Amino acid sequence: MVDAEITITNAAGLHARPAALFVRTAAGFESSIRVRNLSRDAEREADAKSILSVMTLGIEQGHIISISAEGPDETAAIDTLRALAKGNIDE
């Protein structure tokens, strides 16, 4: 299992279009990927491949999220999602 903590910097957070891009990116990996909003409710975990699950986390600008991936492409999944977030999720 590989984990990463990432600060969300784009103004919209992970709402609507940014969340959809995040989920589409996660869905491209075979590994199981989970996400938590450490700034709001660190105990609640969501499937990073489900738009509804991700959006219910209420991830806003400045929030810190934890992403964990487990499976054959776990490192690539974390690296790709980290790069996406650092690139402001194309906002």
Side-chain angles (χ1 to χ4, degrees):
M1 181 184 296
V2 179
D3 297 305
E5 288 186 9
I6 302 165
T7 300
I8 300 299
T9 56
N10 67 311
L14 283 185
H15 296 285
R17 196 168 58 92
L21 179 57
F22 184 87
V23 168
R24 271 196 313 271
T25 302
F29 294 95
E30 187 177 336
S31 294
S32 171
I33 305 170
R34 308 294 293 174
V35 63
R36 292 182 296 137
N37 183 346
L38 300 179
S39 299
R40 180 159 285 160
D41 184 1
E43 298 302 314
R44 195 157 146 227
E45 189 174 68
D47 178 356
K49 297 178 183 183
S50 166
I51 185 85
L52 293 176
S53 293
V54 170
M55 290 187 68
T56 62
L57 293 175
I59 299 168
E60 300 175 359
Q61 182 181 34
H63 282 189
I64 298 170
I65 63 170
S66 170
I67 304 172
S68 61
E70 185 170 6
D73 53 1
E74 60 192 23
T75 301
I78 293 295
D79 290 346
T80 301
L81 291 169
R82 180 185 290 127
L84 181 67
K86 289 192 185 265
N88 287 326
I89 310 179
D90 290 340
E91 285 292 308

